[in-house]
Amino acid sequence: MLPIQSSIKFLFCPYELTFLGQYFINVSLGLIALFILISLILLISTITEKVLPTAITFTFGLGMMIMLERTNLSLNYFLSNFFPYHMVDFDNYYIRPIMYIINDSIIPSHWWIMIIGIMQICLFAGISYKLALRFFTKNKELSH
């Protein structure tokens, strides 16, 4: 299998990846970004309990995620790399990679973003589930 460094576009990529490995990383990041968006929509709809406020909140939130600049390195490092819109900027992982240092270990950005993304999905889905249970039990008690 050809390494991604065989392409002019990814010549200076520091990772030893093949094109197939890069494809699987990109698909995984895309799915995680999609699930984050879905769980965020579920969380917002559970909190607001209506469709229109959910749509308005999500539209403005998505607009804010898109408008954040990618030029501020510290903002990217701590915040905007974990937004779903920036998670699917796949070339950024291989052309201009950011390394995260955790417990004296160097972790490539695409792996760390996958880990944080899965944690976001679990957090948003868990909170949505707890709020939905509280809402349904409250409505059951009122109907009796």
Side-chain angles (χ1 to χ4, degrees):
M1 306 267 337
L2 283 174
I4 62 173
Q5 287 85 357
S6 63
S7 169
I8 279 290
K9 185 175 184 181
F10 304 114
L11 185 63
F12 297 110
C13 178
Y15 309 125
E16 292 184 27
L17 286 173
T18 62
F19 285 107
L20 185 62
Q22 180 188 16
Y23 171 76
F24 285 127
I25 288 172
N26 293 349
V27 167
S28 301
L29 281 167
L31 286 174
I32 289 172
L34 177 71
F35 288 137
I36 287 174
L37 284 176
I38 291 170
S39 60
L40 189 61
I41 289 173
L42 285 173
L43 177 65
I44 293 170
S45 65
T46 306
I47 290 171
T48 60
E49 299 175 4
K50 293 184 180 167
V51 175
L52 190 59
T54 302
I56 292 170
T57 306
F58 187 72
T59 302
F60 285 119
L62 189 62
M64 292 305 293
M65 284 190 272
I66 291 171
M67 286 189 258
L68 280 175
E69 291 292 324
R70 299 283 299 183
T71 56
N72 188 346
L73 184 61
S74 62
L75 186 65
N76 286 342
Y77 189 80
F78 291 111
L79 184 64
S80 67
N81 277 342
F82 304 105
F83 288 154
Y85 179 76
H86 295 295
M87 288 175 79
V88 293
D89 185 12
F90 301 123
D91 289 345
N92 201 31
Y93 299 119
Y94 309 111
I95 297 172
R96 296 170 302 280
I98 296 174
M99 302 293 180
Y100 288 88
I101 299 174
I102 289 109
N103 290 337
D104 296 329
S105 299
I106 296 175
I107 300 175
S109 61
H110 54 273
W111 292 116
W112 186 244
I113 289 172
M114 279 188 210
I115 292 167
I116 296 297
I118 291 171
M119 290 169 52
Q120 285 176 340
I121 293 168
C122 294
L123 177 72
F124 293 154
I127 292 171
S128 299
Y129 179 72
K130 289 290 186 183
L131 289 173
L133 279 179
R134 185 179 306 156
F135 175 73
F136 288 126
T137 56
K138 181 175 68 171
N139 283 347
K140 252 188 200 179
E141 291 171 1
L142 292 176
S143 65
H144 288 295

